[in-house]
Structure formats: C-alpha cells, structure tokens
Amino acid sequence: MEKEQIVVVGGYGSVGQTICQRLSELFPEQVYAAGRNIARAEQFSRTTKGKVKPLQWDIKQHPASTIDHDYVESNIIIQPHIQEQFEQLYQWSNVKLVIMCLDQHDTIWVQYCLSAGIHYIDISAKDSFLYQLEQLNSASWQATALLSVGLAPGLTNLLAQHVCTLLDHIDQLELSVVLGLGEHHGQAAIEWTVDQLNTSFPVKKQGEWSEVHSFTEGRRVSLGTALPHQYVYRFPFSDQQALARTTEIPTISTRLGFDSVAITRIIAGLQKIGCFRLLSISWIRRAIVAIFSNVHIGSEQYGIKAEAIDFYDNQSVSVSGWLTGYHQSIVTAEVTAIVAEILYTSNMPYGIYHLQQQISWEQVITRLQQVIHIEWGIEYDSIDRAESSISVQL
C-alpha cells in the first residue's frame, strides 16, 4: 500500500493551521493536525469541515524517552528494537510526510521517521538542534529530511543562494530580516525571540568561527520603498550557520530589525547596557513576553534581504535581492506547504539536507509572486566611498 498521510506536528498552532489548510486543499482527507491537546486539534478540524483530521500526539512521549539524555544527545543512530516499539505504538505505516512545527530536545523522532521511510520537514530556527541533525546523515536512511524551511531560515537561504549565483566571487554575505511589530505572532515564536535577546552564538568571520552577542553590531539597510532606512542587529537565526557550513563564503551574518526603527534602536540600547541579562529572572522574562504579545506598535509588514559582496582592488561590488510582504507567519506556512508538496510528489535523494541544497529559489518564488514584492540592486563602492546604485531586473 502506498503511503499517503501527512502529519503536521503542532498543526493547530499559529503557523501549523495555515500549513494544514493549504495541504488539505491539495491532499484531501490525508492531512492530520497533531499535538497533545486533542480538544484543540478537534476544534480546528471542525473549522475545516473535516478536511484536516485531528490526531493526539505528544512529542515528549516515545519509546526512547527513558534513555539517558547523554545517550540521546550523542546522536547514535536509533536502535532496531526502539524502532519496532515506535511502529507498534504509533502504527504510522501509512504516513508519508511529517512536518515539525515544534522545537525538540533530541533527534529520536527524526531518526525514527527516516528509518521508517517517512519524509520529514522541520521549520525550527534553532541551530544547535539542526546541527545535531546534520551529524546524523547515514546511508541507511529510507527517506528525505529538509531543514531550514520557512521565512528565516528558509526564504533567506534560497535568496542568499540565488544572489550568490550572480557574482563570480563572494567575500561576504549579509542577510537582513525585518519583522512587523503590528502582527499577532504565536506565543512560541514570541518566547523564542525574547529568549534570543540574551544569547551569544557562533558566526563565520573571514573563514574563522567566532562568538558574537545578540542584537549587537548594527547595520543600516534599505529594503526598497516599502522598508527604507532600517536598522538591523546580529541575531541567531540558523540560516547564517547553515550557509556557513554548506558554502565556502568566508563571512556570513544574519541581522534582525523591526519595522519600527525607534523600537529597534531602543532594544539595541537596552542590550548595550546589559538589561537583557535580567531575562534569566522568570518574572521579568514573562513580563517582556507579555509586552511583545499584547503591544502592537507598527505594521504587519516584513522583509528579507540578501547581499553578496566581492572585494577587489580596494573596491567592492555587491548584488542584493530583497522581498517584502505582509503577515510573516502566513508566508512561513506558505513556504512550508510549497516545500511539502514538492517533497511529497517528487523523488529526492534520501538523507538530511538544508532547504537550499535540494530546492531552488525559482521552485518556491514562482508560487509566491502574488503575495510578495521582489526587487534587485547592484552597488559599486570605490576606495573614496563614492557610490552608485541602480535597480535592475535579474
């Protein structure tokens, strides 16, 4: 019997619902919204008139949950007796694809999926987890896993890959993400963003890995007429690490800003004087999360930009691409649904890959052109800082 079902873990959440709805239009009665709260899954299912089916599924409960944590983190390939217990417990013999919308603490579920011939998509932006998955690549896998799917990472990876094809040589790749503070983001996304304000993380600078602090080293960027004169600061989106590990570009970074320049600068100022160290105090963290959840100053507009730079003879040339749109959570879901359809209907090589390693910019962007605006630009910069800039169609 050919596998047909799609399980969206976290499928009744903010992003998961849109993924389920899009895929249920393509694969009627084959899409399941999974999570541990069956009441919420059933409620969502009713809003789709049964096109999306509910499924109770707790990511923390699996046959390997009693294994020592150090064993799990060591990324040893899942043992046959554990795989048999998975199959007996969940009976997923008809599941073809799992889409993970929740953060995980170990790789056991991914190992099970790939061992059982179930394709896997992950929208996580947590690089430490994605790096664990990279180390799992095995010739024994019976399915394909695509990581870095969504907006950032996701579209940023594809846009970066595309602009890099437009120069013969690249010394530096700069990625920028601008998010609208007026959008109602999911609780998990808000908590993740707040938690990242008090972190340090590795980046690649001139071919060497070094540690940087979140929301430092700001840059001023322009994303066309829609989002001009934005400030962006270092932020631990996983696209910069994934691209650094899969390309030879010596310097890569990703920065974040918000559509309200004032709020962005205030956050950077608070970081500079060390205020975000207080996020380790639980009630302060809860208060900051509540502010981001309930105060909506700004628009629902978002934008991403990729700039590939070549330095030569005391000069530089850069090729940039940027896209803007509205409702970041929806475009994250739209990209995920597009990638899911491609993976579901094609024969990709088995193994674990980041999005840009198997999917092209053209495959995704042609299906998003109704909801986004794209522009391209070239800049030349000489040693005397005289600059010229033109917009072009590439």
Side-chain angles (χ1 to χ4, degrees), residues 304-336:
I304 63 172
K305 182 176 184 177
E307 181 182 6
I309 308 170
D310 178 18
F311 297 103
Y312 64 96
D313 297 333
N314 294 322
Q315 301 180 75
S316 71
V317 59
S318 68
V319 176
S320 301
W322 58 93
L323 65 85
T324 55
Y326 290 86
H327 307 295
Q328 167 261 325
S329 59
I330 292 179
V331 78
T332 296
E334 295 281 4
V335 171
T336 305

Side-chain angles (χ1 to χ4, degrees), residues 181-183 263 289-298:
L181 288 172
E183 183 170 348
I263 296 298
V289 169
I291 290 172
F292 273 90
S293 300
N294 298 307
V295 178
H296 303 286
I297 303 173

Side-chain angles (χ1 to χ4, degrees), residues 156-167 306 308 319 321 356 360-362 376 394:
T156 51
N157 299 57
L158 296 178
L159 180 57
Q161 181 187 59
H162 185 66
V163 298
C164 286
T165 65
L166 304 176
L167 285 177
V319 176
Q356 77 280 359
S360 71
W361 164 258
E362 290 79 10
W376 308 94
L394 300 173

Side-chain angles (χ1 to χ4, degrees), residues 44-60:
F44 170 56
S45 176
R46 287 192 291 272
T47 67
T48 69
K49 298 181 180 180
K51 291 181 180 179
V52 177
K53 299 180 180 180
L55 178 66
Q56 188 168 33
W57 191 86
D58 189 348
I59 191 174
K60 296 180 180 179

Side-chain angles (χ1 to χ4, degrees), residues 82-141:
I82 297 293
Q83 183 176 338
E84 291 175 6
Q85 292 178 52
F86 269 101
E87 293 168 354
Q88 292 171 6
L89 182 61
Y90 290 99
Q91 298 180 349
W92 279 13
S93 59
N94 196 32
V95 175
K96 183 171 184 176
L97 171 63
V98 168
I99 301 173
M100 185 63 66
C101 300
L102 303 177
D103 279 337
Q104 301 172 81
H105 299 291
D106 60 59
T107 64
I108 292 294
W109 273 114
V110 185
Q111 294 186 46
Y112 165 65
C113 288
L114 299 184
S115 298
I118 300 171
H119 298 311
Y120 177 87
I121 289 175
D122 202 309
I123 70 170
S124 174
K126 186 178 177 182
D127 182 64
S128 58
F129 177 71
L130 300 183
Y131 179 72
Q132 288 182 58
L133 294 183
E134 289 177 16
Q135 309 312 303
L136 289 174
N137 247 320
S138 167
S140 65
W141 295 140

